[in-house]
Amino acid sequence: MHLNTTPATSNSDAGASADDISLDKDILRSQIRPRRLIARSHRGEHGQQQMQELFTAHILEVVAQRVHSPGTIAAYLPTKSEPPIVQALNALHEQGHRILVPVVRPGRKLAWVHWDPTVEHPLSPMGIPEPEGEEQDTQAFIDADLRLIPALAFDAGGHRLGQGGGYYDRIIPLLSDQQLTGRSIGIVFSDEIYEAIPYDQWDAILPVILTERGIFLAHQQG
């Protein structure tokens, strides 16, 4: 897979201050968010359906390779601009997997709730279905058989750029090396894997990234 060589300002390895790195991150976020919306508009309905089918095929393949019987998948429900993975989650639910999705709670914390696509859920302020039910803590995310993790961008080393809330940066480090390497998958569009992005030392690193073109292994190109 070819990396995005568009300059993404990164002072992370040059002894830059935390403020400089934070500014670089905000600049990159401000570029990616509108670009996602524009790209979706340009794809149109047919192109969006094709994109959804690509993500679905790759997600089902990666789950089949790593979870050999119905298990628990910690995922998320995407916004309209994020990679379209709901069709994949529906298919996983039909296969018998239990799907957990996050809901935001005070203190910048995530709770995890069982998602059933056959049940209508109220919408969050962002327009995302937010399941109601028994809320589980971070341990549910850690104990899941596989995790699908959203992002705005990654670099070749697997450094993750999130939305800025720090939710996943606080919980990903709790995973063991085995849980992280084999069963935690970052989700972005293929043009959102850069050669370099700004990052802090505490930012999460994911070795395995999934796009509409397939799997990308951090530090390994092609």
Side-chain angles (χ1 to χ4, degrees), residues 6 23 32 46 51 91 96 100 103 119 125 140 147 158-159 161 168 176 179 182 187 207-209 217:
T6 302
L23 178 59
I32 294 173
H46 179 65
M51 182 69 72
L100 297 179
V103 293
V119 176
R147 288 153 290 273
H159 294 100
L161 179 71
Y168 285 93
S176 69
Q179 290 168 326
I187 307 291
V208 183
I209 303 161
L217 300 180

Side-chain angles (χ1 to χ4, degrees), residues 12-13 151 153-162 192 195-201 203-207 209 218-219:
S12 304
D13 295 324
F154 287 96
D155 69 10
H159 294 100
R160 174 182 175 273
L161 179 71
E192 293 166 351
E195 290 185 349
I197 63 171
Y199 63 88
D200 291 289
Q201 291 183 348
D203 286 337
I205 296 177
L206 291 178
I209 303 161
H219 292 302

Side-chain angles (χ1 to χ4, degrees), residues 65-205:
Q65 291 172 346
R66 290 164 171 79
V67 184
H68 302 300
S69 61
T72 298
I73 312 294
Y76 64 97
L77 298 176
T79 64
K80 290 184 178 180
S81 65
E82 291 181 304
I85 68 168
V86 172
Q87 180 174 289
L89 299 184
N90 272 285
L92 291 172
H93 178 268
E94 291 175 359
Q95 291 176 3
H97 296 285
R98 183 167 179 261
I99 310 297
L100 297 179
V101 299
V103 293
V104 176
R105 290 297 174 255
R108 291 182 177 269
K109 295 181 179 179
L110 296 177
W112 297 86
V113 181
H114 175 239
W115 174 72
D116 185 340
T118 66
V119 176
E120 185 173 351
H121 301 291
L123 299 180
S124 73
M126 294 183 65
I128 304 172
E130 195 163 85
E132 296 176 319
E134 179 184 356
E135 296 184 0
Q136 302 179 62
D137 61 16
T138 301
Q139 195 62 42
F141 172 83
I142 295 172
D143 291 341
D145 296 294
L146 188 134
R147 288 153 290 273
L148 301 177
I149 299 173
L152 281 173
F154 287 96
D155 69 10
H159 294 100
R160 174 182 175 273
L161 179 71
Q163 295 285 355
Y167 298 102
Y168 285 93
D169 288 324
R170 282 190 283 273
I171 61 177
I172 291 175
L174 302 177
L175 300 172
S176 69
D177 288 343
Q178 182 180 8
Q179 290 168 326
L180 188 63
T181 302
R183 297 177 182 267
S184 300
I185 316 295
I187 307 291
V188 288
F189 293 106
S190 59
D191 64 354
E192 293 166 351
I193 302 180
Y194 292 79
E195 290 185 349
I197 63 171
Y199 63 88
D200 291 289
Q201 291 183 348
W202 58 80
D203 286 337
I205 296 177

